[in-house]
């Protein structure tokens, strides 16, 4: 258990940061799932719209340190590739 005031404050900060990161990670997963569902249904317009929303959300998560930059780029790239295959 934290004894010093600085340790107590650090605990509060960590809890707050953890909650924010959990929320961001959840948002990213939701947007990715929406793109994948649209791709699976074969709806090109819905997939493009979902991708347009998901890409900045993924990159924002990378900027905030929730996911690694390369991971976010890889996910965006793979979704874009699947979208391209659908539209071709």
């Amino acid at each position: 258990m934290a004894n010093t005031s600085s340790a107590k404050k650090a605990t509060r900060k960590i809890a707050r940061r953890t909650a924010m990161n959990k929320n961001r990670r959840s948002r990213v997963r939701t947007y990715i799932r929406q793109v994948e569902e649209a791709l699976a249904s074969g709806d090109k317009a819905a997939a493009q719209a979902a991708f347009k929303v998901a890409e900045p959300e993924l990159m924002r998560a990378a900027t905030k340190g929730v996911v690694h930059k390369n991971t976010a780029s890889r996910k965006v790239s793979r979704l874009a590739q699947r979208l391209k295959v659908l539209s071709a």
Side-chain angles (χ1 to χ4, degrees):
M1 190 64 203
N3 290 322
T4 63
S5 59
S6 61
K8 289 177 183 175
K9 180 178 179 180
T11 304
R12 291 194 306 269
K13 285 170 64 176
I14 290 166
R16 191 164 50 238
R17 199 177 314 127
T18 302
M20 290 167 125
N21 287 343
K22 187 176 178 183
N23 187 27
R24 286 191 182 113
R25 196 175 299 115
S26 176
R27 282 174 57 95
V28 166
R29 288 177 181 153
T30 300
Y31 286 122
I32 289 174
R33 183 176 40 77
Q34 287 173 353
V35 175
E36 288 176 344
E37 285 174 356
L39 287 168
S41 70
D43 190 354
K44 180 183 165 188
Q48 283 179 329
F51 179 73
K52 258 189 172 21
V53 176
E55 182 182 5
E57 195 65 40
L58 259 163
M59 297 320 285
R60 192 173 301 118
T63 304
K64 300 294 184 183
V66 177
V67 293
H68 194 273
K69 192 179 84 146
N70 292 354
T71 303
S73 294
R74 183 182 69 240
K75 287 182 183 291
V76 168
S77 176
R78 288 180 181 174
L79 286 173
Q81 187 178 17
R82 287 173 61 191
L83 187 63
K84 186 178 175 183
V85 168
L86 179 71
S87 61

